[in-house]
Amino acid sequence: MDVNPRKIPRQSRAQATVRAIVEATAQVLTQGGFEAMTTARVAERAGVSVGSLYQYYPNKQALAAAVVDHYGEVFAARFAEAVAAGPDETLAEAVDALVATAFENHPHDPRLHRVLIEIAPRVGRADHRKTLSARIAMLIEQKLRRHAGDLAADLDPAEAAAMLEAVLETAAHRALEQHPAGLAAERLAAQCRRLIMAYLTCAADRP
């Protein structure tokens, strides 16, 4: 099944229409899930005709794939902003920025977050999370390399970035899903900062 857009909007009006369709799809998915979603419901929520929707997306699977792609790009863009900001920051400030991006600026509503994880493999986006994780890790590596002198001597920035991406993803997902142990998101973020700083600055052979 084709889940790719039929065409890419070029004019501002068309781009606004596509944004409305994607946002409406996310809202319908959040409220009722993928099974209950229909192109007619999305079109109604977006304020466009079904015919207009079909100009860009051939089916509900393509709509869902567009939402997965859109929110992945939003999250990656926010990480890119965090990396670009603060060229004179300390290592601790850099870690704060990364944690804040993962926790406080996460673009996903908790319910939408769960739906996106569930539907990604069903709409041809099984490798989407893997690709996104690799992009985020590369961005984190850029930030770490600015502070190479503050890192533990035996720590490789690329390996550290991969580890941090995994830690941030796991912790942020737990926070979004309302941590079952009852740890508030703010406390979870604070503990995540503490863990990351210790990891980045403590040599492996240190007692």
Side-chain angles (χ1 to χ4, degrees):
M1 179 177 292
D2 184 12
V3 297
N4 295 313
R6 281 181 164 153
K7 65 179 181 179
I8 305 299
R10 303 298 180 188
Q11 299 181 345
S12 58
R13 183 175 179 180
Q15 291 171 351
T17 297
V18 168
R19 281 196 301 271
I21 291 171
V22 171
E23 291 172 3
T25 303
Q27 293 168 9
V28 172
L29 283 170
T30 299
Q31 292 177 353
F34 181 71
E35 298 302 334
M37 185 184 84
T38 65
T39 53
R41 288 187 63 191
V42 171
E44 181 181 7
R45 177 64 64 89
V48 302
S49 68
V50 175
S52 295
L53 183 151
Y54 281 131
Q55 288 182 32
Y56 299 99
Y57 300 104
N59 47 54
K60 63 183 277 185
Q61 289 80 6
L63 287 171
V67 172
V68 172
D69 291 344
H70 171 72
Y71 281 95
E73 290 302 318
V74 169
F75 196 40
R78 290 181 181 177
F79 255 95
E81 290 174 3
V83 168
D88 299 322
E89 67 191 355
T90 64
L91 176 60
E93 289 169 340
V95 170
D96 284 347
L98 294 174
V99 172
T101 301
F103 282 82
E104 301 165 17
N105 298 325
H106 206 291
H108 302 158
D109 174 280
R111 292 171 298 172
L112 176 60
H113 174 74
R114 288 190 288 271
V115 171
L116 293 180
I117 291 176
E118 175 191 345
I119 66 173
R122 301 175 60 181
V123 295
R125 295 298 186 267
D127 293 331
H128 181 267
R129 292 183 64 193
K130 182 184 295 185
T131 301
L132 180 61
S133 292
R135 289 174 60 189
I136 298 299
M138 289 180 64
L139 290 168
I140 294 173
E141 181 184 349
Q142 292 177 32
K143 206 162 187 68
L144 291 181
R145 288 192 181 279
R146 296 179 190 165
H147 303 279
D150 297 320
L151 304 180
D154 62 341
L155 200 63
D156 176 79
E159 292 181 355
M163 178 61 71
L164 263 59
E165 188 280 330
V167 169
L168 289 171
E169 179 185 24
T170 301
H173 287 181
R174 282 296 189 95
L176 283 167
E177 294 168 0
Q178 299 177 336
H179 196 279
L183 190 61
E186 295 79 9
R187 292 295 301 159
L188 193 58
Q191 295 302 321
C192 193
R193 290 185 183 93
R194 184 177 182 181
L195 181 153
I196 290 173
M197 283 300 297
Y199 166 69
L200 292 176
T201 59
C202 183
D205 58 354
R206 184 173 175 178

